[in-house]
Amino acid sequence: MKKTVFNGCDLLDSSRAKELLSGKKLGLLTNMSGVSRNLKLSTTEINEKYNLCALFGPEHGISGANQAGGFDKEIFVDPDNGDYNIKDIDEIRKD
């Protein structure tokens, strides 16, 4: 019996995902290995369909370029134009 496994971003078009995610501000914990079945970045897949506002990169950051043990910055996506805006953690704590 062959079973198919799906990543979360492969289920974004499901009615359940639409019900849960539409109209909400979303954050995503990911790194450079976060991809869909067609090898499209999960950040791109989600941002094309929903309001992805924040990315969180553990240990080495979103792109994998950060030094080990460091703390990543939050990256906010402007929903109007899709630009990424980076905020330091100190700025975030003030908000």
Side-chain angles (χ1 to χ4, degrees):
M1 174 188 290
K2 185 176 178 183
K3 298 205 178 207
T4 304
V5 176
F6 294 96
N7 291 325
C9 67
D10 294 318
L11 302 172
L12 292 173
D13 291 324
S14 73
S15 59
R16 181 72 174 142
K18 289 177 184 176
E19 178 185 330
L20 290 172
L21 305 176
S22 290
K24 302 223 169 86
K25 292 180 179 181
L26 305 177
L28 180 66
L29 175 64
T30 189
N31 63 22
M32 68 283 193
S33 67
V35 295
S36 64
R37 291 176 61 110
N38 61 3
L39 300 180
K40 195 171 183 181
L41 289 173
S42 56
T43 53
T44 303
E45 290 276 357
I46 295 169
N47 196 41
E48 287 176 352
K49 298 171 181 163
Y50 300 100
N51 186 15
L52 182 59
C53 294
L55 300 176
F56 303 92
E59 187 83 32
H60 296 286
I62 306 295
S63 66
N66 290 2
Q67 183 68 23
F71 192 88
D72 203 7
K73 300 177 182 207
E74 280 193 36
I75 303 171
F76 293 86
V77 180
D78 184 335
D80 297 325
N81 60 24
D83 289 342
Y84 291 100
N85 300 305
I86 300 172
K87 286 180 102 175
D88 287 316
I89 191 63
D90 292 330
E91 291 178 56
I92 295 163
R93 288 184 180 141
K94 290 176 191 173
D95 290 348

